[in-house]
Amino acid sequence: NAGVTQTPKFRILKIGQSMTLQCTQDMNHNYMYWYRQDPGMGLKLIYYSVGAGITDKGEVPNGYNVSRSTTEDFPLRLELAAPSQTSVYFCASNPYPRVGGQPQHFGDGTRLSIL
Amino acid sequence: QKEVEQNSGPLSVPEGAIASLNCTYSDRGSQSFFWYRQYSGKSPELIMSIYSNGDKEDGRFTAQLNKASQYVSLLIRDSQPSDSATYLCAGDAADKLIFGTGTRLQVFP
């Protein structure tokens, strides 16, 4: 069982380039999330989705875009990469946050450097 | 703004001691709370969840919840050097989790 899969694991971008971070889950979870984690810091929510076709902004959405066309996939797009977006990006999913208190399952992360 | 607060540490304890990690939250509507462990360079992994007031034990780990005081804690008994990591506390807020900034635990031999 793969769980939450993120690709790529590492990437170096030049300022102004764009890229898409991929996230796929095979657990049929409705809820999916993108976080960024700067060195020595906690997780900051970028965007989240409560189901296919529905997305919402988190705490730090500027500079990012998302889409959710299927239950399985939740890609995160950086349009004009800036050095401030150098971070580790985690994707997570869960079936439902409150009923039964389902925890979030995390992918292994994508380490992104903008130079 | 809904917040979860933790002491960043580091919390240093000797091997075999009890490590006590604390967390407070601001959203009285939160119902579920989670403790995640994160090793350096790795993703967070769930170690405990708690939904009701009181204690919940799982092996060497005990989570405690006090909703009246809006306080969650994690006790690690017989701490081992392999427990050295950052521990993230999280509480639910509608459709998402609010994470604290984490407490770094160091267990020395």
Side-chain angles (χ1 to χ4, degrees), chain B residues 4-18:
Chain B
V4 173
E5 296 188 352
Q6 297 179 254
N7 188 318
S8 62
L11 173 65
S12 294
V13 300
E15 184 174 357
I18 296 175

Side-chain angles (χ1 to χ4, degrees), chain A residues 31 33 35 37 40-43 45 48 50 57-59 90 94 96-98 100-109 111, chain B residues 1-2 27 29-32 34 36 38 40-46 49 51 88 92-97 99-102:
Chain A
Y31 290 71
Y33 309 83
Y35 296 92
Q37 187 175 37
M41 303 295 287
L43 297 167
L45 183 64
Y48 66 103
V50 301
K57 295 177 181 179
E59 184 184 0
F90 290 105
N94 62 352
Y96 189 78
R98 283 201 165 181
Q102 297 299 313
Q104 292 185 3
H105 301 259
F106 284 83
D108 290 337
R111 278 171 174 68
Chain B
Q1 184 172 348
K2 299 172 183 176
D27 184 4
S30 295
Q31 301 175 24
S32 305
F34 307 94
Y36 286 82
Q38 186 176 27
S40 181
K42 301 295 185 181
S43 60
E45 58 175 323
L46 180 74
S49 57
Y51 319 122
L88 302 170
D92 73 281
D95 296 326
K96 47 192 183 291
L97 290 183
F99 283 86
T101 53

